[in-house]
Amino acid sequence: MRVEFDQWMTGSAAAADAERILSSCVHCGICTSVCPTYDVLDHELDSPRGRIYLIRDMLQGAPVSERTRDHLDRCLGCRACEPACPSGVEYGQLIDIGREQVELRVPRTAFDRTRRALLRRALQSRRLLGAALQLGWALRRWLPARLRAQIPVRPAPPPAWPQTRHSRQVLALGGCVQGAVAPGYDVALARILDRFGVALVQVGGTGCCGAISQHLGAAAEAAQAMRRNIDAWWPLIEAGAEAIVLSSSGCGSMVEDYAHLLKDDPDYAAKARRVSTLLRDPVELVGALWSSADLALAPLADEQQPLAFHPPCSLQHGMRLKGRVELLLQRAGYRLTPVKDGHLCCGSAGTYSILQPALAGELGQRKLARLMAGQPQAIASANVGCILHLQKNSPVPVRHWLELLAERLPQEPA
Ligand code: SF4
Ligand code: SF4
């Protein structure tokens, strides 16, 4: 695909990336068959190839309108199209560039700008989100069913964080949404790692990984969050922390991208590369530790109890760790049910379920139908967003796989 950028783009730091990515697309259309929005909407401009054309045309100076922006807004950023592409088109990077440019060229209405700014603010502040959730939980029973379904289930208080000291340390993130709605995931990871003699350290001064701002087209705000996290992690990295391990794959996938996203920042590029190199998903670390040491787990109450696993897009397409959690769950004794079209997104996709509720709802229903086809007693996943989104309509519990394992750890002698 030959590209000649307009003036707007020629001076942009992303021009070289955009040219490389656009030139690598041979517009074969193979990616359309795996795209969830194309699957639902059956419209070329809601497919990866269609969006690539839209971004190319925009960057070359063709007129852009709200219609262009709507097609880009409807992209989940799930990156299912990347592993399917025979030419290795880095679509995830291109959609970020396209989104940033469309924000500049097609201004949103004041209402939309305010809504998106509020969303960024609320979801990145544990205090604000915590207060909103407390209010939602208090008023829940009086709310209409449609609104009630949007409020996450109040989490049970998590078990205590392990107090054992270990010389081997890995780092976690203070986080944003997850800390308020699912504080048990990090505790579960900490308890499992503790049994292998590794301490999970929650680092003060860290916050949101930056994904919320990045996916809402606020790249400068995302970069600020990345720099803040790097600054908070850095002293511990220099002191010998072995890895950064985040219990939600959406955050992990974002941190893995720090190296690329900060590559033009002279003060942070090298540190960002180091941070991205240190990033491990829990399945990688737990899998590696479990392959060389035993993990004692209480037997399952019912060994025949079937479990369905939903692999988040950030895990299978972003970090390319498809099939790895399933192997650990099988090793832990679970009988996994087959799930059709596992590559398709559940519709959660960060803030997508809030900004595109109809499409996200349809994708969620389709995903649940596929997950429930094998009649599981529960669904497991690896990302807070997917779990909350599926929980809204699931007839069975939806849990993080780390919690399932941690619940079966025998009590430590006092
Ligand atoms: S992104 Fe890849 S699969 Fe899709 S049209 Fe381009 S070359 Fe083909
Ligand atoms: S990222 Fe997902 S929704 Fe967007 S074009 Fe690719 S497959 Fe489709």
Side-chain angles (χ1 to χ4, degrees):
M1 198 184 265
R2 195 159 172 274
V3 281
E4 275 174 38
F5 292 139
D6 68 357
Q7 269 185 337
W8 281 67
M9 194 60 199
T10 317
S12 155
D17 286 337
E19 183 172 7
R20 185 190 75 249
I21 300 166
L22 287 169
S23 313
S24 62
C25 178
V26 295
H27 40 92
C28 61
I30 291 172
C31 52
T32 56
S33 65
V34 297
C35 174
T37 55
Y38 184 70
D39 191 39
V40 173
L41 301 166
D42 197 19
H43 190 302
E44 171 71 14
L45 296 180
D46 285 307
S47 78
R49 180 173 61 180
R51 293 186 178 113
I52 288 170
Y53 282 136
L54 285 174
I55 295 170
R56 180 202 60 182
D57 292 350
M58 170 174 68
L59 301 186
Q60 295 195 136
V64 269
S65 65
E66 285 175 14
R67 216 176 124 247
T68 317
R69 198 184 59 207
D70 288 346
H71 288 297
L72 300 191
D73 278 353
R74 282 198 285 271
C75 173
L76 293 141
C78 68
R79 294 167 65 182
C81 43
E82 285 192 10
C85 172
S87 303
V89 172
E90 293 156 297
Y91 177 87
Q93 285 184 33
L94 187 67
I95 188 71
D96 278 352
I97 296 169
R99 283 191 165 140
E100 209 181 331
Q101 288 295 318
V102 89
E103 291 295 326
L104 298 170
R105 298 170 193 228
V106 189
R108 294 182 189 271
T109 60
F111 171 76
D112 206 12
R113 280 201 309 276
T114 312
R115 183 170 71 133
R116 292 165 78 91
L118 280 176
L119 203 52
R120 294 204 312 267
R121 179 89 204 280
L123 292 180
Q124 292 182 74
S125 159
R126 264 170 85 162
R127 208 164 44 84
L128 273 179
L129 188 66
L133 282 168
Q134 290 297 340
L135 190 68
W137 288 326
L139 300 178
R140 190 184 188 114
R141 76 173 82 159
W142 294 287
L143 295 174
R146 203 172 56 83
L147 259 182
R148 207 181 316 136
Q150 301 307 315
I151 301 173
V153 179
R154 189 198 283 263
W161 195 277
Q163 294 303 313
T164 334
R165 291 186 177 275
H166 300 291
S167 56
R168 295 185 68 184
Q169 292 195 334
V170 298
L171 310 179
L173 194 64
C176 44
V177 178
Q178 186 183 305
V181 295
Y185 300 175
D186 275 351
V187 181
L189 175 60
R191 292 181 63 223
I192 295 168
L193 294 180
D194 178 57
R195 300 299 164 104
F196 290 115
V198 177
L200 179 69
V201 182
Q202 273 190 318
V203 183
T206 56
C208 175
C209 61
I212 291 169
S213 307
Q214 184 70 21
H215 297 159
L216 285 171
E221 189 179 274
Q224 246 179 354
M226 293 182 243
R227 290 187 206 107
R228 179 206 55 217
N229 291 339
I230 292 174
D231 284 343
W233 279 324
W234 199 250
L236 290 157
I237 290 173
E238 289 199 306
E242 292 177 24
I244 295 167
V245 191
L246 309 182
S247 55
S248 267
S249 59
C251 311
S253 177
M254 177 70 188
V255 173
E256 200 175 61
D257 280 349
Y258 278 16
H260 164 71
L261 294 166
L262 291 177
K263 72 180 188 323
D264 298 319
D265 183 326
D267 297 324
Y268 281 85
K271 288 181 178 178
R273 276 199 303 279
R274 176 99 176 98
V275 161
S276 292
T277 316
L278 285 172
L279 191 276
R280 298 276 176 287
D281 185 79
V283 75
E284 295 177 277
L285 185 60
V286 173
L289 293 165
W290 202 357
S291 67
S292 53
D294 191 31
L295 179 65
L297 293 175
L300 278 170
D302 173 4
E303 290 208 351
Q304 287 312 302
Q305 202 180 65
L307 180 73
F309 182 70
H310 164 57
C313 301
S314 43
L315 185 77
Q316 59 170 330
H317 309 311
M319 291 189 274
R320 312 250 169 154
L321 294 170
K322 189 175 176 179
R324 300 277 291 272
V325 177
E326 291 89 323
L327 286 177
L328 287 192
L329 286 171
Q330 281 168 333
R331 182 164 179 198
Y334 292 96
R335 183 166 74 78
L336 294 185
T337 61
V339 181
K340 215 172 140 231
D341 295 328
H343 64 277
L344 288 177
C345 178
C346 66
S348 165
T351 53
Y352 195 91
S353 58
I354 302 169
L355 294 169
Q356 303 281 343
L359 204 41
E362 174 63 28
L363 287 165
Q365 292 291 1
R366 288 182 182 205
K367 177 56 73 178
L368 268 180
R370 285 160 173 139
L371 286 163
M372 291 305 299
Q375 301 184 314
Q377 304 275 311
I379 295 169
S381 193
N383 183 48
V384 63
C386 309
I387 294 171
L388 296 182
H389 187 57
L390 292 171
Q391 263 174 359
K392 288 179 202 162
N393 295 302
S394 174
V396 298
V398 187
R399 309 286 311 280
H400 198 299
W401 69 272
L402 289 166
E403 287 190 310
L404 294 180
L405 252 57
E407 279 168 6
R408 291 174 51 204
L409 293 171
Q411 288 288 337
E412 281 283 88

